[in-house]
């Protein structure tokens, strides 16, 4: 419809308050249109609070069809690889196929110190081809950073998440009464995994986005629109800086 970014008010619902800070970074201000990439970030807990203030309960609201950019049938689908985006799993499988011609269907994680610090290794004839790790929560990130500093990190790729157990356990998530935090997390994980899981390359809407809007997956336009760059932000002098 030829709308410019400045004509779109972009709201995201996120599992943590940190996403508000992230959206306010200079990296995500669109100089060309003088607008933010994301205009408003609210957490799932804040959505619940807003609904309560309005006296609305989701169970009383009629379901509405999902918005879609595609002519394909609207269906909510999920992805494999956990509740923090599944990047490690996707990149691992893609790299195994593209670099070594090896098809990986399921990934076997090996827990290191705990379930939030795990690694996955692709081997052929006793030779390690790929070694990836995930480190969730500050304790594990600290261990990883120490490994890096000592030159002892063997990893080609690491998925780092600030929250223990990842985004589904984010600090902005709504709190359900009557369940322990462990039960609640398991509940949320089950719900998150309940839609049919799909490989991004096989998703029709993703393919249409590349073909019809972005001029193919390798185009400059796709790289500009979909890739993110972070630049160092000057440290605030709050004395709150963590020494790794
Ligand atoms: S891991 Fe936690 S802090 Fe990081 S994006 Fe997810 S919810 Fe937010």
């Amino acid at each position: 419809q030829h709308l410019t970014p400045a004509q779109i008010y972009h709201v995201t619902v996120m599992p943590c308050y940190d996403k508000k800070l992230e959206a306010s970074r200079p990296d995500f201000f669109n100089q060309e249109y003088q607008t933010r990439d994301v205009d408003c970030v609210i957490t799932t807990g804040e959505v619940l609070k807003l609904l309560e203030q309005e006296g609305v309960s989701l169970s009383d609201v009629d379901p509405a069809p999902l918005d879609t950019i595609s002519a394909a049938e609207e269906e909510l689908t999920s992805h494999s690889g956990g509740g923090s985006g599944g990047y490690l799993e996707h990149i691992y499988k893609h790299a195994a196929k593209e670099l070594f011609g090896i098809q990986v269907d399921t990934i076997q994680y090996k827990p290191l110190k705990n379930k939030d610090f795990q690694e996955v290794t692709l081997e052929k004839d006793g030779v390690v081809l790929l070694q990836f790790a995930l480190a969730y929560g500050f304790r594990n990130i600290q261990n990883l950073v120490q490994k890096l500093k000592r030159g002892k990190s063997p990893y080609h790729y690491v998925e780092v998440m600030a929250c223990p157990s990842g985004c589904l356990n984010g600090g902005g998530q709504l709190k359900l009464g009557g369940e322990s935090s462990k039960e609640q997390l398991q509940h949320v994980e089950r719900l998150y995994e309940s839609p049919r899981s799909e490989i991004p390359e096989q998703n029709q809407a993703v393919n249409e986005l590349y073909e019809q809007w972005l001029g193919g997956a390798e185009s400059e336009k796709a790289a500009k629109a979909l890739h993110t760059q972070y630049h160092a932000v000057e440290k605030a002098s709050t004395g709150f800086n963590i020494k790794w």
Side-chain angles (χ1 to χ4, degrees), residues 15-16 18-19 161-163 166-167 170:
C16 64
D18 306 70
K19 290 285 175 192
M161 290 288 151
C163 297
C167 292

Side-chain angles (χ1 to χ4, degrees), residues 16-215:
C16 64
Y17 297 94
D18 306 70
K19 290 285 175 192
K20 296 178 192 263
L21 281 178
E22 190 176 28
S24 69
R25 291 174 69 102
D27 297 299
F28 306 126
F29 185 78
N30 186 325
Q31 292 294 347
E32 192 181 342
Y33 292 97
Q34 289 294 300
T35 184
R36 296 215 157 272
D37 291 350
V38 176
D39 297 288
C40 174
V41 178
I42 49 175
T43 65
T44 51
E46 288 171 325
V47 171
L48 181 66
K49 216 188 260 175
L50 284 173
L51 289 170
E52 283 171 352
Q53 278 167 7
E54 297 291 324
V56 176
S57 163
L58 278 187
S59 48
D60 301 334
V61 177
D62 287 335
L66 291 173
D67 284 341
T68 175
I69 55 164
S70 160
E73 216 172 277
E74 302 114 31
E75 181 201 351
L76 186 66
T77 51
S78 188
H79 57 82
S80 61
S84 298
Y87 293 96
L88 178 147
E89 197 163 315
H90 186 66
I91 291 167
Y92 182 86
K93 288 179 178 174
H94 190 76
K97 184 94 201 291
E98 291 295 314
L99 300 176
F100 306 106
I102 299 174
Q103 172 82 27
V104 177
D105 293 320
T106 36
I107 288 194
Q108 294 295 338
Y109 288 95
K110 180 174 143 215
L112 297 173
K113 288 180 185 292
N114 50 65
K115 73 169 180 41
D116 272 346
F117 197 2
Q118 307 201 46
E119 66 178 28
V120 51
T121 308
L122 182 73
E123 278 186 353
K124 195 178 177 190
D125 305 328
V127 178
V128 172
L129 302 177
L130 290 176
Q131 198 161 17
F132 284 20
L134 58 82
Y136 291 180
F138 275 100
R139 197 160 45 105
N140 291 319
I141 299 172
Q142 214 160 0
N143 282 330
L144 175 75
V145 171
Q146 277 162 6
K147 266 188 190 223
L148 279 167
K149 280 190 166 172
R150 289 200 300 265
K152 294 252 157 63
S153 166
Y155 305 121
H156 300 105
Y157 179 93
V158 185
E159 182 170 288
V160 170
M161 290 288 151
C163 297
S165 304
C167 292
L168 296 183
N169 191 32
Q173 292 281 57
L174 46 95
K175 309 279 174 274
L176 305 175
E179 279 187 337
S180 71
S181 50
K182 195 174 160 202
E183 283 168 345
Q184 182 172 322
L185 179 61
Q186 287 169 347
H187 188 167
V188 174
E189 282 172 346
R190 276 196 303 277
L191 285 175
Y192 192 82
E193 286 163 11
S194 58
R196 183 173 65 84
S197 164
E198 207 175 16
I199 300 169
E201 290 95 322
Q202 291 174 2
N203 179 287
Q204 190 172 339
V206 170
N207 282 317
E208 283 180 22
L209 178 77
Y210 277 124
E211 293 316 318
Q212 294 172 17
W213 295 54
L214 298 171

